[in-house]
Amino acid sequence: MSSLEERDEQVALLCDQLPRLRRMHRGPVGAAKRLVIDRAVRAARDGEPVEEYLSRLGLLRSRTAPEAGGPGGQAGPGEPGTVRSTLPTAVADDGPHAVQGEHVCPRGVCARRERRRADRELPVCEVFDLALRFDAES
């Protein structure tokens, strides 16, 4: 059985990949996978585990497969999965300031965190069909 943290990450993965999965499995050929997708969404909404559905959809790695990156699953510099840890360049004090923060799950059931880019639309939770909630950094 998955821990709550793993479940949160799995629901976040489902939420993030849902539009792509729905596009990929349109039409009569994707009917079986659409059923799995619908069951995964229903399970996520009901607070049930989604690991089995994500595995069937090919979104989870095998537990025996080595993690990407170096030891402990950490990505090295320049490898995919590297998280940027530096803050942007400081702005002049006389101009308007952007509020720093991330958009998070609107229901608080998953670990999805996404920064909105200026050229992008408001991020949406595909599981609950709601816009992600903005969580300002303090």
Side-chain angles (χ1 to χ4, degrees):
M1 186 168 173
S2 299
S3 71
L4 288 176
E5 187 175 301
E6 285 177 332
R7 185 194 174 282
D8 288 353
E9 291 294 329
Q10 291 168 0
V11 173
L13 177 64
L14 175 64
C15 182
D16 185 52
Q17 294 296 311
L18 204 51
R20 183 182 68 83
L21 289 169
R22 287 182 169 151
R23 278 192 311 272
M24 283 175 43
H25 300 295
R26 281 189 211 156
V29 175
K33 290 287 188 182
R34 277 197 314 275
L35 184 60
V36 175
I37 293 167
D38 292 341
R39 287 180 179 166
V41 169
R42 197 171 319 118
R45 287 179 178 169
D46 293 341
E48 297 172 4
V50 295
E51 183 174 17
E52 174 190 339
Y53 303 111
L54 295 180
S55 293
R56 290 174 61 189
L57 292 167
L59 295 177
L60 290 182
R61 289 190 189 137
S62 167
R63 291 199 184 270
T64 58
E67 294 289 324
Q74 298 294 328
E79 291 183 21
T82 303
V83 177
R84 183 176 170 196
S85 62
T86 58
L87 294 174
T89 308
V91 294
D93 288 338
D94 59 345
H97 298 279
V99 176
Q100 297 295 316
E102 296 176 313
H103 288 82
V104 298
C105 180
R107 299 274 174 97
V109 298
C110 81
R112 183 173 175 197
R113 301 186 76 75
E114 194 169 310
R115 290 198 181 266
R116 182 176 179 191
R117 297 185 199 139
D119 62 339
R120 293 271 174 113
E121 302 236 354
L122 185 64
V124 174
C125 171
E126 298 292 336
V127 173
F128 292 104
D129 209 17
L130 297 169
L132 295 186
R133 180 177 50 85
F134 184 75
D135 183 27
E137 294 175 356
S138 38

